Amino acid sequence: MSNDETFAAAYREHYWAVSRYVARRLDGRMSEVEEVVAEVFTVAWRRRADLPAVPLPWLYGVARNCLANAVRGYGRRRRLVDRMGNDNAAHGRHIVDSPDTEAPGAWVHEALARLSAADQEVLRLTAWEELGVDELAVALGCGSRAASMRLHRARRRLRAEIDRVSPTTVPKERSHG
């Protein structure tokens, strides 16, 4: 199979997986998602000779880098808009959540948000993208042992944060018998 055919097959088979990966990290902001996914496959096209036999974990690694670049760019644009005074607050468009809008299980997301970006990504790659340790290693650009250790440590830190932020449970009454 030629490099062009290999790329075409990877594109057909993995476009939607890469799109979902990016969308979950950009909270579904579709115009931004489409830009990042286009950049991922542009990089894949330029490096089509480097595509591995199992390209999805490699594509996730490319997507991580493209997301990092996009987030930096969006941050720069946002700061520019803020400096220009063209933000929503300046135009009276305030959206305030009511106190009872907390979603069920929000404390789990809060615990995840307290972790480092690296820990969050390791956990998301294994939970959302369902990567095994070997595939995780490819996506992270490290060896399998290092990926396994990163995953173990991230899970341990998440457990500690969950214990910190989880809602208190009502103690069970002892039965006297």
Side-chain angles (χ1 to χ4, degrees), residues 1-20 33-48 51-60 62:
M1 191 181 302
S2 73
N3 289 340
D4 291 357
E5 292 168 333
T6 301
F7 169 82
Y11 181 85
R12 277 192 311 276
E13 292 173 28
H14 303 300
Y15 176 85
W16 291 112
V18 171
S19 293
R20 286 188 302 271
V33 169
E34 291 168 358
E35 286 179 32
V36 172
V37 172
E39 181 61 23
V40 169
F41 284 102
T42 299
V43 169
W45 172 256
R46 284 194 306 261
R47 297 188 53 205
R48 62 192 178 278
L51 278 171
V54 180
L56 187 58
W58 184 85
L59 289 168
Y60 286 152
V62 172

Side-chain angles (χ1 to χ4, degrees), residues 44-171:
W45 172 256
R46 284 194 306 261
R47 297 188 53 205
R48 62 192 178 278
D50 299 332
L51 278 171
V54 180
L56 187 58
W58 184 85
L59 289 168
Y60 286 152
V62 172
R64 284 181 65 231
N65 294 332
C66 291
L67 276 165
N69 291 337
V71 167
R72 281 191 298 272
Y74 299 142
R76 284 190 298 271
R77 283 192 292 279
R78 182 73 223 153
R79 287 188 298 277
L80 176 62
V81 167
D82 288 346
R83 281 196 309 269
M84 293 170 51
N86 192 17
D87 61 352
N88 285 339
H91 296 283
R93 292 189 297 260
H94 286 65
I95 299 173
V96 179
D97 289 334
S98 73
D100 60 348
T101 59
E102 184 174 326
W107 54 271
V108 174
H109 294 287
E110 181 183 340
L112 184 63
R114 291 173 178 241
L115 298 177
S116 70
D119 282 351
Q120 289 179 36
E121 185 63 7
V122 166
L123 294 168
R124 288 176 178 145
L125 283 166
T126 56
W128 290 353
E129 278 33 272
E130 300 177 355
L131 297 186
V133 172
D134 292 336
E135 295 166 320
L136 178 65
V138 172
L140 297 176
C142 65
S144 293
R145 293 183 69 151
S148 178
M149 185 56 69
R150 286 184 192 182
L151 177 60
H152 172 74
R153 289 177 179 161
R155 285 177 174 161
R156 189 180 68 223
R157 287 188 278 265
L158 179 61
R159 166 54 48 207
E161 288 301 329
I162 286 173
D163 290 344
R164 244 182 244 125
V165 301
S166 66
T168 56
T169 56
V170 178

